[in-house]
Every structure is written in structure tokens, then in C-alpha cells.
Amino acid sequence: AIYYGSLLGTMEMVKSGTTCFVDMYFYCRDIAKAVEEIGMRGYIGSGIFDFPSPESGKPFETAVKFIEKYKDKSNLIVPVMAPHALYTCSEETFHKCLDISQKYDLIFHTHVSETEREVKEFVEQKGVRPVEYLYTNGFLSETFLGAHCIWLNDREIDILAEKKVKVSHNPVSNMKIAAGVMRLPDMIRRGVTVSLATDGAASNNSLDMFEVMKVCALLHKVHTGDPTAVSARKVFEMATKNGAESLGLRAGVLKEGYLADLILVNLNEPNAVPYHDFVSNVVYSMQSGNVETVICNGKIIMKERKFPNVEETVILEKAVEIARKMVSGV
């Protein structure tokens, strides 16, 4: 189920122009197998908790085994250290994760201040806000990637900027589960590197980055009452250059010496005409259907919306079959 679900998710991402993603949770070897078959990049972390996960009674040990198996072994699969969150992992676990991330030179990826309740309960227990806690205990750095980061005060945003922390913004997911609205304009003004993400399908349904770009731009305009709060250019950079920068990946721009992770879009569609401002068209007008060809690491992984490496119909049929069995309990 994990394998075919991962094939399904990677196909959806590629069809909407994504060449690289970051993910945490379970059964990472099955996910990695699917990612390599599709041919896209996956920065994958086995989720770590202080209690058993659906995959393992010892999530930390499982994560380390995955890291050791894939570190520097693949052009497409990059392991990351992924403690789930401060409310599911102890300080001791976070320090163990930090040690491993430094030993293997990994991205340190975790959820940060996603809900107001989470922050309130953390302050009641620790007497300090989450980002301040991470800062005081030495967890923040240029390789720290924090998902969500919604409920932050001014001091915490300044800390993220000071430590050059990377932030993953998930506006559609945040809206769907009513988590709140991240202070994106404030982060941009302070120089925080913010990338754009869908979050998992369970929190979004869609893995379409074109949808997320438009929602991001519109959400922050209406939330601030300022139609210039976040420009199309800035959102486009969040979805491309900033995403690559957050991973230390030489990609996200067309430039000599950078990786050939590219997409070709069809401009001969009604939603792409007239052609005045390409970036504005991409963010506000185009959709995933405009993506015709996707190239990852210099190799074509989708051409004219067809996958050369896998049988799409077979995967879709298998995914439907598995989902029906799960629903029926058979």
C-alpha cells in the first residue's frame, strides 16, 4: 500500500511540475523505491517519536538505519533527520537527532508552532516559546527546516532570521485544518528563507504546487488587506529558488553549473494567453495541466504528460484496489 501510494503521489507531483520534495513519516524504503522508479528527487526522513510508530517500536533506530542505507548512495534519494515535533519528542531525543544530523551532514526537519494550542501547551509546560526553546538549546542552524511556523511572535521571527533557518509554508493545509495564517510578509521583510509546500495529501488532498502558489498569494493579500503584500514574483521564488536553497540544492534557477531540474509548460492554452508577464501567468492563471514535460537530474521523467519509466494505468488501478480494501477492511 505504501509503495503504490507513493507511486500515486509522485505521479501527481510530477504532473504538476514538481521535481523534488521533502517528506517525513513511515516506511521510507518503500517510498524511496517508488521515487527512484519515477525518477524525481526525494529528501526523505523516517519520522521519529518517543512512542512506537505504525512502522516501528523504535522509530529513532529505524530512522538511523534508513539514513545509513541511503546516505551518499543515490542521486535521487537524500535522507533527512526528521523528529516529528517538540510535543512528540523529548529534549533528549532532539539532541540525539541533532547529533546524527551533524554526523551525516543532514537537513534537520521538524514541525514548528503549527497550531495555537500546541504553542500554548508548550509554554505552559516549559515556560518558553518553541522557537526560543530551540534557539536556547542549540537546535537552530542553516540546515534546520521548520514546517509551518505559524504561531510566532516578533522575537521568534528575528531568531529564525539570525540563525538562517529555513521555513516551509503550507498555506492550503493550514487553511484546511484551520491551523492559522503564517506571518509571511513579516518573514520576508526580515530575510527569512521561506519555501512553499503542499503538506501531505492527508492534510491537503492535492499535491499540486500550482494551486498552492495561487492560494499563497491570495491568502496573504486578503489576510493583510494589502493586495501587494506578497507578489507573484516572490511566490514563484518560494516555489523554485527558495525550495532548492532550503535543501542546499543547486537547483531552482536556470544557471550554468546548476542541476537540470526543469519543467516545460504549454503557453498555447487559453489560460496562458495573452502573454504579458510570464511569472504572473504561472502564479495566477496556469494550472498543473499546463505542464507538458518534466526533467529531473537531466533526464526526462514525463514527456507530453506520459511517464516513460512506469505504467500509469496499472498504478492507478492498483491504488484504487488498495483503497477499496482499506475502506472495506478486507
Side-chain angles (χ1 to χ4, degrees):
I2 298 295
Y3 168 67
Y4 280 100
S6 298
L7 284 172
L8 185 67
T10 50
M11 287 197 308
E12 181 180 355
M13 285 190 279
V14 171
K15 283 209 165 186
S16 58
T18 296
T19 62
C20 178
F21 69 93
V22 181
D23 188 44
M24 75 153 73
Y25 277 126
F26 319 119
Y27 301 99
C28 292
R29 294 190 182 194
D30 298 286
I31 298 170
K33 180 183 175 183
V35 169
E36 290 188 307
E37 287 186 26
I38 293 291
M40 71 185 306
R41 296 183 191 279
Y43 280 65
I44 303 172
S46 186
I48 297 170
F49 305 80
D50 280 344
F51 44 83
S53 75
E55 178 184 11
S56 170
K58 298 181 177 180
F60 178 81
E61 287 78 1
T62 299
V64 172
K65 287 180 181 178
F66 177 76
I67 290 166
E68 291 174 342
K69 177 177 174 62
Y70 278 97
K71 176 61 178 174
D72 297 327
K73 303 290 174 51
S74 169
N75 291 326
L76 299 175
I77 305 300
V78 180
V80 303
M81 178 49 69
H84 175 257
L86 286 172
Y87 59 87
T88 53
C89 296
S90 66
E91 182 177 334
E92 178 185 1
T93 299
F94 257 65
H95 276 294
K96 287 168 60 180
C97 291
L98 181 62
D99 289 343
I100 293 295
S101 69
Q102 292 175 339
K103 176 182 177 180
Y104 290 100
D105 191 23
L106 306 176
I107 299 295
F108 190 102
H109 177 44
T110 189
H111 297 79
V112 180
S113 299
E114 181 176 5
T115 68
E116 186 176 23
R117 176 182 175 181
E118 163 196 339
V119 174
K120 181 180 179 181
E121 290 180 351
F122 190 85
V123 172
E124 290 173 352
Q125 294 170 10
K126 300 289 187 179
V128 64
R129 294 179 65 85
V131 171
E132 294 174 322
Y133 175 86
L134 291 167
Y135 177 70
T136 302
N137 285 279
F139 295 114
L140 301 182
S141 70
E142 293 184 29
T143 58
F144 187 102
L145 176 60
H148 303 296
C149 297
I150 299 171
W151 295 92
L152 306 184
N153 61 21
D154 289 343
R155 169 60 180 155
E156 290 177 296
I157 295 175
D158 288 339
I159 288 172
L160 297 182
E162 175 192 334
K163 299 301 292 184
K164 298 183 179 179
V165 166
K166 310 307 188 294
V167 172
S168 173
H169 181 29
N170 302 254
V172 175
S173 167
N174 297 159
M175 293 170 69
K176 185 184 179 188
I177 66 174
V181 181
M182 193 182 80
R183 295 175 60 186
L184 179 60
D186 293 332
M187 290 193 187
I188 292 172
R189 279 192 289 270
R190 287 170 167 84
V192 178
T193 298
V194 183
S195 59
L196 203 57
T198 60
D199 206 352
S203 304
N204 181 314
N205 294 74
S206 167
L207 298 176
D208 185 343
M209 286 289 288
F210 275 80
E211 176 185 74
V212 172
M213 282 193 292
K214 182 170 184 176
V215 168
C216 177
L218 301 185
L219 169 64
H220 294 287
K221 296 177 192 303
V222 71
H223 183 67
T224 61
D226 178 5
T228 67
V230 180
S231 68
R233 171 69 60 179
K234 179 54 66 176
V235 171
F236 184 76
E237 289 178 353
M238 289 168 62
T240 54
K241 180 175 69 72
N242 288 12
E245 183 179 332
S246 295
L247 301 175
L249 190 63
R250 291 178 65 81
V253 295
L254 290 171
K255 190 175 181 180
E256 184 178 352
Y258 279 60
L259 293 167
D261 286 16
L262 315 166
I263 69 171
L264 308 181
V265 296
N266 187 353
L267 301 180
N268 295 313
E269 292 288 344
N271 64 350
V273 177
Y275 184 90
H276 297 306
D277 184 327
F278 175 72
V279 171
S280 180
N281 275 10
V282 168
V283 174
Y284 295 124
S285 301
M286 292 189 196
Q287 299 171 342
S288 59
N290 289 92
V291 179
E292 295 221 327
T293 296
V294 177
I295 301 168
C296 181
N297 208 36
K299 296 181 180 179
I300 295 175
I301 61 174
M302 184 180 79
K303 184 176 182 179
E304 297 177 354
R305 300 195 65 75
K306 301 295 182 182
F307 293 95
N309 301 328
V310 296
E311 292 290 337
E312 181 175 358
T313 301
V314 172
I315 294 168
L316 296 178
E317 290 175 351
K318 190 67 177 179
V320 170
E321 176 188 336
I322 291 169
R324 283 175 177 166
K325 288 181 178 179
M326 287 183 170
V327 171
S328 65
V330 176

